[in-house]
Amino acid sequence: MTATAERPRLGVFGGTFDPPHVGHLVVAQEVLHRLALDRLLVVPAAVPPHKRDQPVTGGAVRLAMARAAMAALDRVEVSDLELRRDGPSYTVDTLRALRADHPDAELFLVLGADQVRELDTWHEADELRRLATLVVFRRAGQDPDPPGAVATGELLEIEVPRLDISSTEIRRRVGAGEPVRFLVPEAALEVIEREGLYREPHAAGA
Ligand code: ATP
């Protein structure tokens, strides 16, 4: 076995996780398996750069929900790296911090097709590509083809089982008094109930 093959493989999966749901767990499980990761860090974003016009649940509560939800999976850790930082959380800064903390690790940045479409607008996108292997997960039969970058071989692609569920839909259902059990891991649901989250009906897309 070469020295390269022995480098720990560390995945990074960012998002708002407001709230986390079983779609996120399925992605986490699938990338751990397909990329043979030693560890996957789930990183809730502090000030989601793309969602500033929408109300977002406070970081401490999203962190608690993510930790509760992800406890169901081995080798997955929830990191408060971005929540501890002041100002907007740029993914490139997160990768730099992880690179400094784990100099030997091979980094894999796990992105949804929606995130990849915006990649070129991201802060220091080129540096991002240098720091980590980009992995896009596509929902079987659902996500449209990602943009041209894929054709150049800059991205690894992983297909994940399709679950038609989103945090937006969970918030809507809670607001409307509809059941969300089995869509949100039980432990995260306890946080939602305890904190009284999403009771105000949310506009579609909010
Ligand atoms: P919202 O509805 O608030 O936009 P979301 O459900 O998309 O939230 P995010 O926290 O934005 O959740 O998700 C982080 C990543 O997980 C995104 O890349 C998103 O595409 C992906 N994701 C969300 N839901 C699913 C799902 N059902 N299956 C696969 N990936 C998902």
Side-chain angles (χ1 to χ4, degrees):
M1 196 182 275
T2 66
T4 311
E6 288 165 10
R7 291 172 69 195
R9 294 164 71 85
L10 177 61
V12 182
F13 179 27
T16 314
F17 305 110
D18 189 19
H21 52 68
V22 293
H24 296 132
L25 265 76
V26 166
V27 170
Q29 173 178 257
E30 202 67 20
V31 297
L32 272 169
H33 172 68
R34 300 231 174 246
L35 296 171
L37 297 178
D38 294 291
R39 201 141 59 101
L40 177 67
L41 282 187
V42 169
V43 188
V47 185
H50 307 101
K51 294 192 174 182
R52 279 190 198 127
D53 52 336
Q54 297 172 17
V56 175
T57 302
V61 174
R62 284 186 293 113
L63 187 69
M65 287 194 287
R67 289 205 162 127
M70 295 293 167
L73 286 169
D74 287 341
R75 290 182 287 141
V76 176
E77 231 175 79
V78 178
S79 166
D80 64 355
L81 201 71
E82 295 195 356
L83 296 171
R84 272 190 275 125
R85 202 184 294 144
D86 288 334
S89 37
Y90 291 122
T91 305
V92 71
D93 294 329
T94 303
L95 292 180
R96 282 197 187 103
L98 291 174
R99 163 65 55 235
D101 283 353
H102 307 274
D104 295 341
E106 188 172 359
L107 300 180
F108 295 85
L109 179 63
V110 175
L111 300 165
D114 54 336
Q115 296 170 314
V116 168
R117 273 190 288 282
E118 298 173 352
L119 197 61
D120 285 333
T121 68
W122 284 20
H123 194 60
E124 296 186 57
D126 288 342
E127 180 65 7
L128 207 94
R129 290 186 175 92
R130 269 191 293 277
L131 287 165
T133 299
L134 304 192
V135 182
V136 59
F137 58 88
R138 289 165 22 98
R139 286 166 260 194
Q142 185 176 37
D143 289 323
D145 285 342
V150 179
T152 68
E154 291 174 21
L155 294 178
L156 288 180
E157 258 189 81
I158 288 180
E159 202 159 278
V160 297
R162 173 182 171 165
L163 285 178
D164 194 5
I165 177 180
S166 67
S167 301
T168 303
E169 172 63 6
I170 301 295
R171 295 192 299 270
R172 189 202 64 74
R173 293 182 72 95
V174 174
E178 294 170 15
V180 294
R181 201 166 165 227
F182 310 124
L183 300 175
V184 173
E186 201 71 29
L189 194 49
E190 281 170 20
V191 180
I192 293 176
E193 284 168 0
R194 190 177 67 225
E195 300 287 332
L197 302 181
Y198 318 128
R199 296 236 176 102
E200 291 294 311
H202 279 68

